[in-house]
Amino acid sequence: MGTTADSPRRITMTPAARRVLEAAARLFYERGIHAVGVDLIAAEAGVTKKTLYDRFGSKEQIVVEYLADRDERWRAFLAERLDAAGPEPGERVLAVFDATRAWAAELSPKGCSMVNAHAEISD
């Protein structure tokens, strides 16, 4: 996938990479990015550290994939609700708030993963 100023470099997801990303996402969200090391991610994903580094290259790239994946899932979640709201502008605005409330209740009880990551990684 190409990289622009607005899009990070992304990797191709193999089954092992998907397991790493799923484990990392859960751990990063529950414990924080700095608190989670690659040893724990690899163990939780059932892969070796070599496999983890072969797929991602660095912990930083795992963080990029985690945040990009979370963003893609949010956008798809919101798009479904906007599609269901129809063309009426007022209903679409309300759908954004309803989607945000539902997302937070179902998938983000500890707050926004982007905000949480920004609080940890200010640069």
Side-chain angles (χ1 to χ4, degrees):
M1 175 176 237
T3 302
T4 67
D6 294 331
S7 68
R9 179 181 72 84
R10 301 290 305 273
I11 66 161
T12 302
M13 286 291 161
T14 63
R18 177 58 53 197
R19 287 195 314 274
V20 168
L21 182 58
E22 288 169 0
R26 181 177 44 77
L27 292 165
F28 289 158
Y29 191 74
E30 289 173 0
R31 301 179 187 188
I33 293 167
H34 288 306
V36 175
V38 293
D39 290 325
L40 180 57
I41 295 169
E44 291 285 319
V47 301
T48 64
K49 274 182 27 178
K50 181 180 181 331
T51 297
L52 182 146
Y53 282 113
D54 284 348
R55 301 301 180 271
F56 292 90
S58 66
K59 180 180 174 183
E60 181 177 281
Q61 188 63 37
I62 298 170
V63 173
V64 167
E65 296 295 334
Y66 158 61
L67 294 173
D69 183 66
R70 188 82 171 184
D71 178 62
E72 289 169 0
R73 291 188 305 125
W74 160 248
R75 289 173 188 265
F77 187 88
L78 178 59
E80 286 178 16
R81 275 126 189 103
L82 288 172
D83 289 346
E88 171 61 37
E91 292 300 316
R92 293 177 67 77
V93 169
L94 292 175
V96 172
F97 289 101
D98 290 342
T100 301
R101 182 177 40 250
W103 177 269
E106 294 172 32
L107 302 167
S108 291
K110 294 181 124 187
C112 175
S113 55
M114 298 292 181
V115 172
N116 296 345
H118 183 69
E120 277 195 79
I121 307 168
S122 61
D123 61 345

